[in-house]
């Protein structure tokens, strides 16, 4: 290994793998206390121990001589429901965010990814400010006032990378990382496409409204929710097309059709209608109670009728690297000083691998908007 040993990189690799100090110590036959000294710079390992640590943590020995770890500050992570997220889960998510950020930085050097077109709106405090911020985004993204066909593709089109941390999906509602190229982490445990679409809008809201701010409190979460609602269903279209109650009774048939058109859950539509005073408090409460009574509080009847959305940018980027530049998983892993298996854990799918049979290529068809 060239360069000075960096204990912070050891901690990063350990947390990424979801391991406690004693877990790694047992694998390399050292004590927990000694591992703690290595991570905090109070001790320096032998060359042999560095190799054993690398093998245990799916990295190369040179990984431990990288510069400062966790270059991504905590304020750049936007956690949903931060107050209910366990500290260790949060640390693992941040470690994964750091490493996927390094992968995305590598891809940005090698490829021309979509231009970043996410505006930042400072000091949006009132609900009207947030509505106007969402309307600004719709104009800049040339969406018009109609339904958004695919929220995941929209986020990628305006420059974000969308992915998932599969092993953490049950622990983390959703999160995003405000890097030079922002990253949105979807919750794959959610079966409702509508809820995933809303989450994408929520995270875009953080990028637009909360640059440089620590989020996760009720105020910033509420603002991001309002942005998502306004982005998905502009207030002018709600006022024009929302199925009005018949007397005091909600129009459930109309709500069903409205949902299928706009790909927004009935629960979110009702909430949006109450925001814009299109229904009364009592009508909203009645709607929520009805959804609970019919078992639709967590999954609505029409959810299966809405086509799922899948991230595409990472897979296509890696395919383009293989097809156009002959760069496969092994070379990418080497550039990041990790193993191909760890890269696979970062992205959550199989990468194109270097194949001895030169006539064979493993990967997906290159995207038209990825230019080398």
């Amino acid at each position: 290994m060239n360069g000075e040993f960096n204990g912070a990189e050891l901690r990063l690799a350990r947390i990424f793998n979801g391991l406690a100090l004693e877990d790694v110590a047992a694998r390399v036959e050292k004590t927990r206390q000694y591992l703690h000294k290595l991570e905090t710079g109070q001790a320096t390992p032998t060359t042999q121990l560095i190799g054993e640590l690398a093998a245990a943590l799916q990295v190369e020995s040179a990984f431990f001589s990288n510069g400062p770890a966790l270059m991504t500050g905590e304020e750049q992570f936007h956690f949903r429901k931060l107050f209910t997220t366990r500290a260790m889960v949060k640390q693992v998510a941040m470690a994964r965010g750091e490493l996927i950020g390094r992968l995305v930085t590598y891809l940005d050097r090698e490829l021309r990814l979509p231009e970043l077109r996410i505006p930042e709106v400072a000091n949006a405090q009132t609900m009207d400010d947030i509505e106007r911020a969402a309307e600004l985004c719709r104009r800049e993204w040339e969406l018009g006032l109609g339904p958004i066909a695919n929220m995941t593709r929209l986020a990628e089109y305006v420059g974000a990378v969308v992915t998932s941390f599969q092993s953490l999906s049950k622990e983390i509602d959703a999160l995003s990382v405000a890097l030079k190229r922002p990253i949105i982490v979807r919750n794959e445990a959610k079966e409702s496409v509508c809820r995933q679409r809303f989450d994408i809008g929520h995270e875009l809201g953080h990028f637009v409204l909360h640059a440089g701010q620590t989020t996760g409190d009720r105020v910033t979460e509420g603002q991001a929710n309002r942005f998502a609602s306004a982005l998905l269903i502009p207030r002018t279209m709600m006022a024009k097309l929302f199925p009005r109650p018949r007397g005091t009774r909600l129009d459930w048939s109309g709500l069903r059709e409205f949902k299928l058109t706009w790909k927004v859950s009935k629960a979110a539509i009702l909430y949006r209608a109450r925001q814009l005073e299109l229904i009364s408090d009592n009508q909203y409460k009645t709607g929520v109670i009805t959804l609970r009574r019919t078992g639709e509080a967590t999954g609505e009847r029409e959810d299966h009728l809405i086509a799922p959305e899948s991230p595409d940018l990472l897979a296509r980027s890696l395919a383009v690297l293989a097809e156009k530049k002959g760069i496969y998983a092994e070379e990418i892993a080497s550039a990041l000083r990790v193993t191909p298996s760890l890269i696979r854990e970062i992205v959550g799918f199989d990468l194109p691998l270097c194949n001895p049979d030169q006539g064979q290529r493993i990967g997906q068809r290159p995207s038209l908007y990825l230019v080398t």
Side-chain angles (χ1 to χ4, degrees):
M1 181 184 81
N2 296 322
E4 187 175 339
F5 181 83
N6 184 350
E9 290 287 84
L10 171 60
R11 183 175 186 275
L12 172 64
R14 173 178 66 79
I15 292 176
F16 174 89
N17 284 279
L19 299 174
L21 278 167
E22 48 266 32
D23 298 326
V24 180
R27 294 185 184 190
V28 297
E29 298 182 344
K30 299 293 180 181
T31 65
R32 179 190 184 281
Q33 290 76 11
Y34 183 67
L35 262 293
H36 175 69
K37 288 183 178 180
L38 291 180
E39 289 190 355
T40 55
Q42 300 176 63
T44 302
T46 64
T47 301
Q48 178 181 341
L49 179 55
I50 288 172
E52 293 172 356
L53 289 168
L57 298 172
Q58 304 184 84
V59 299
E60 295 181 356
S61 295
F63 181 87
F64 301 122
S65 63
N66 282 335
L70 290 175
M71 298 174 290
T72 309
E74 188 168 342
E75 74 283 356
Q76 292 171 275
F77 285 84
H78 302 298
F79 284 87
R80 296 285 300 275
K81 300 179 181 177
L82 179 61
F83 43 91
T84 61
T85 304
R86 292 190 295 119
M88 184 59 188
V89 172
K90 177 184 170 185
Q91 290 177 5
V92 173
M94 290 178 67
R96 288 178 174 264
E98 170 70 20
L99 287 175
I100 199 169
R102 295 183 187 186
L103 173 61
V104 170
T105 298
Y106 174 85
L107 294 175
D108 255 325
R109 288 198 304 264
E110 296 291 337
L111 300 169
R112 195 173 75 202
L113 300 181
E115 178 187 359
L116 181 62
R117 298 193 295 122
I118 302 177
E120 293 181 2
V121 178
N123 301 318
Q125 299 297 326
T126 68
M127 293 301 103
D128 188 59
D129 291 339
I130 295 168
E131 292 280 342
R132 284 189 278 108
E135 291 161 1
L136 168 67
C137 288
R138 272 191 167 257
R139 289 195 302 273
E140 294 206 1
W141 299 339
E142 300 177 340
L143 296 174
L145 293 175
I148 298 172
N150 190 311
M151 282 293 292
T152 303
R153 295 291 168 80
L154 171 65
E156 294 182 331
Y157 177 68
V158 300
V161 170
V162 182
T163 186
S164 63
F165 295 162
Q166 294 178 356
S167 62
L168 297 178
S169 279
K170 292 183 180 179
E171 299 269 9
I172 292 178
D173 194 7
L175 70 94
S176 57
V177 193
L179 302 174
K180 182 178 179 182
R181 181 168 297 281
I183 297 168
I184 295 174
V185 182
R186 305 190 321 161
N187 186 333
E188 295 289 347
K190 289 185 178 180
E191 296 181 359
S192 169
V193 177
C194 291
R195 293 173 189 270
Q196 289 186 347
R197 284 167 54 86
F198 192 92
D199 285 348
I200 296 288
H202 179 103
E203 302 308 329
L204 287 171
H206 281 313
F207 297 148
V208 172
L209 303 172
H210 302 133
Q213 295 184 43
T214 300
T215 60
D217 59 276
R218 285 182 170 81
V219 172
T220 54
E221 291 302 290
Q223 291 172 340
N225 281 338
R226 183 66 179 243
F227 178 91
S229 296
L231 182 67
L232 284 161
I233 317 177
R235 53 186 168 181
T236 55
M237 302 308 285
M238 276 292 294
K240 181 179 180 180
L241 300 176
F242 174 72
R244 296 298 202 280
R246 298 169 179 173
T248 60
R249 300 182 62 182
L250 294 169
D251 180 1
W252 287 103
S253 177
L255 281 169
R256 178 182 186 276
E257 295 305 315
F258 194 85
K259 168 184 175 171
L260 294 176
T261 298
W262 292 87
K263 301 181 184 179
V264 176
S265 70
K266 289 180 290 191
I269 294 169
L270 289 173
Y271 189 73
R272 179 77 168 138
R274 184 66 199 110
Q275 284 178 342
L276 300 176
E277 298 184 350
L278 299 175
I279 59 175
S280 67
D281 275 334
N282 285 338
Q283 288 169 328
Y284 173 69
K285 291 174 183 176
T286 298
V288 171
I289 292 170
T290 300
L291 291 175
R292 288 176 181 166
R293 189 177 65 245
T294 58
E296 295 185 87
T298 55
E300 297 179 0
R301 293 172 183 171
E302 307 83 11
D303 286 347
H304 70 284
L305 299 175
I306 300 174
E309 300 179 2
S310 299
D312 194 46
L313 183 58
L314 273 180
R316 291 194 183 195
S317 299
L318 294 164
V320 167
L321 281 182
E323 292 286 343
K324 300 294 186 182
K325 304 187 78 168
I327 298 176
Y328 293 88
E330 296 89 342
E331 186 173 342
I332 298 169
S334 179
L336 299 182
R337 301 180 175 182
V338 301
T339 62
S341 62
L342 188 135
I343 293 287
R344 190 199 181 288
E345 281 198 35
I346 291 175
V347 299
F349 54 81
D350 292 326
L351 283 72
L353 296 170
C354 183
N355 196 308
D357 179 3
Q358 294 301 311
Q360 183 178 358
R361 289 287 188 265
I362 304 173
Q364 299 183 26
R365 189 174 181 178
S367 164
L368 294 178
Y369 61 70
L370 287 167
V371 182
T372 57

